[in-house]
Amino acid sequence: MRSGLYAFFKGSEYRLIEISDGGLELISNDSKDIDKGFSFYDEGVFVKKVVREQLDQVCLIDTFALYKGVKLKVGSMRNGKVLLGTSQLQLVEDLGFDRTDKYFYEKWVDIAEVQLIEEKQLATI
C-alpha cells in the first residue's frame, strides 16, 4: 500500500520525503539503486538526497478501498487484513464500524473483501 509523496528519478519511482533541513530525500528498498547514487541507511533501506530539479515528476499517492460499494481510506494492512476508516456517521451503522475517536470509526476486514484503488495526482514541492 502506498500513501504520500513519490517522485520519478532516473526512470524509477521512489518514496519522497522532506527532511528537517528543508531538503528532499528519496527512499528505496533496492540495493541496485546504489548505482544511482543511493547510500545504505538501514537493513533493506537506501536513501539519496536530491533537489527538486533532479526529479522528473512528483505526485501524491493515496490508497483507498472499495468495500461493499463504498470508497474508504485505508489506514494500514497486516496479516491479510486492511484497516478501513471513515468519519461518515451514516456509513458506520450499515458497515459495522467501531468508534475509535470522537468523530472517527474504523474496521479491520479481510483483504479479499476489498478492491484497493490507488489514486495519483501531480504535486508541487
Side-chain angles (χ1 to χ4, degrees):
M1 175 186 80
R2 299 188 309 164
S3 184
L5 282 175
Y6 286 78
F8 282 93
F9 174 76
K10 295 188 178 183
S12 297
E13 190 176 59
Y14 299 97
R15 173 101 169 136
L16 177 68
I17 60 169
E18 295 182 68
I19 53 180
S20 59
D21 66 2
L24 300 169
E25 202 166 64
L26 297 172
I27 309 296
S28 172
N29 300 106
D30 188 348
S31 63
K32 294 177 187 169
D33 285 328
I34 289 176
D35 295 338
K36 293 182 181 179
F38 282 72
S39 302
F40 176 81
Y41 176 77
D42 199 357
E43 186 174 334
V45 180
F46 304 87
V47 297
K48 177 172 180 60
K49 288 186 180 183
V50 293
V51 295
R52 173 62 182 104
E53 293 74 27
Q54 291 177 285
L55 305 175
D56 298 322
Q57 184 181 66
V58 176
C59 55
L60 181 62
I61 297 177
D62 276 316
T63 300
F64 296 91
L66 193 58
Y67 175 66
K68 296 186 178 183
V70 179
K71 182 178 163 185
L72 298 160
K73 184 73 175 155
V74 174
S76 63
M77 293 175 22
R78 72 174 95 125
N79 300 326
K81 293 193 176 279
V82 179
L83 180 62
L84 305 176
T86 185
S87 59
Q88 298 177 29
L89 185 58
Q90 66 273 18
L91 297 177
V92 174
E93 294 168 358
D94 294 339
L95 300 176
F97 279 54
D98 295 318
R99 184 174 164 178
T100 57
D101 200 3
K102 187 173 182 179
Y103 298 108
F104 199 73
Y105 305 85
E106 295 177 321
K107 180 179 182 177
W108 284 98
V109 299
D110 288 327
I111 197 162
E113 295 182 58
V114 301
Q115 175 188 353
L116 295 178
I117 303 165
E118 189 175 274
E119 293 183 355
K120 278 187 186 182
Q121 60 184 356
L122 291 178
T124 57
I125 52 170

